[in-house]
Amino acid sequence: MAASQTQPPDTSMPALASQICNHIASVFSMPTAHPPALDVLVSELSAAASRGGRVFLYGVGREGLMMKALCMRLAHLGLQAHSVFDVTTPPIAGGDLLLASAGPGGFSTVDAICSVARSHGGRVVLLTAQPETGTCARHASAVAHVPAQTMADDAAAEGGGGGAAGEGPRPLLPMGSVFEGAMFVLFEMVVYRLGEVLGESPEAVRSRHTNLE
């Protein structure tokens, strides 16, 4: 019995992959007072497409990389999609949509960009894990709540609920990785559902992929 209690955890590739995927999947069954993020994003994006609006996407750090990945797929679906700060990004205007990410609830740059978008008539959808306490939500027309760990609460999670942070086992998904991983999975669901709503065939989506590679 003593040997089984001290047996090291399974750190093989299949075991680690399973643990990570299960952790991210659990985010989507967590309770929230907000409408499902998938429904919010599909509704907002399909509405923007129907009115001929453009979609702008912004996030910082690894969240920003996830937003760029979604921007690419939205372009493949036929939407006019732009990453903020690209040199060819046009000005936002009424009828356009800004999707902004602030997992911990607020970043100064996200605050500023959301404010500018609203002042020019754009609609703002905020992806966040902290919709009640963050600063960015005040600029949002709608919130896509992703109730995942971010850097706003990772220290407490790593501490295991007792003792100081860092005393617990080493986390598989540190800092904001849970939120960022959940973003990727959520965006794949959005692309699948949005493709159905817009009536985009796999062939049509593939035809919009760049050939300058």
Side-chain angles (χ1 to χ4, degrees):
M1 176 178 274
S4 64
Q5 290 177 342
T6 59
Q7 185 175 359
D10 187 352
T11 57
S12 66
M13 189 164 68
L16 291 176
S18 178
Q19 293 176 65
I20 289 172
C21 290
N22 287 340
H23 193 166
I24 291 173
S26 70
V27 169
F28 300 103
S29 59
M30 294 182 67
T32 172
H34 295 266
L38 175 60
D39 294 348
V40 172
L41 292 176
V42 171
S43 175
E44 293 286 347
L45 287 165
S46 60
S50 67
R51 62 178 179 262
R54 296 166 297 189
V55 181
F56 299 81
L57 299 96
Y58 182 71
V60 300
R62 283 163 52 106
E63 293 182 31
L65 297 177
M66 298 301 103
M67 298 301 281
K68 286 179 180 290
L70 176 60
C71 184
M72 181 178 179
R73 282 290 186 255
L74 294 180
H76 294 161
L77 285 169
L79 281 74
Q80 300 179 68
H82 305 275
S83 289
V84 174
F85 294 150
D86 278 357
V87 294
T88 56
T89 301
I92 195 168
D96 293 336
L97 174 66
L98 170 68
L99 296 184
S101 177
F107 294 109
S108 58
T109 51
V110 180
D111 268 335
I113 287 167
C114 290
S115 178
V116 170
R118 287 298 297 270
S119 70
H120 286 82
R123 187 167 175 82
V124 174
V125 174
L126 177 70
L127 289 97
T128 183
Q130 305 282 345
E132 313 303 336
T133 59
T135 57
C136 294
R138 68 178 183 268
H139 303 295
S141 311
V143 170
H145 184 205
V146 182
Q149 175 187 304
T150 69
M151 286 191 69
D153 51 16
D154 70 307
E158 290 177 21
E167 292 181 359
R170 181 182 179 190
L172 279 174
L173 296 169
M175 297 182 284
S177 291
V178 183
F179 183 79
E180 296 145 7
M183 288 175 70
F184 176 78
V185 174
L186 172 62
F187 293 164
E188 292 303 304
M189 292 189 278
V190 168
V191 169
Y192 176 78
R193 182 82 64 80
L194 191 60
E196 290 186 325
V197 172
L198 299 178
E200 290 290 331
S201 68
E203 293 75 21
V205 173
R206 186 178 181 83
S207 73
R208 299 188 185 98
H209 193 284
T210 182
N211 58 4
L212 295 174
E213 290 185 332

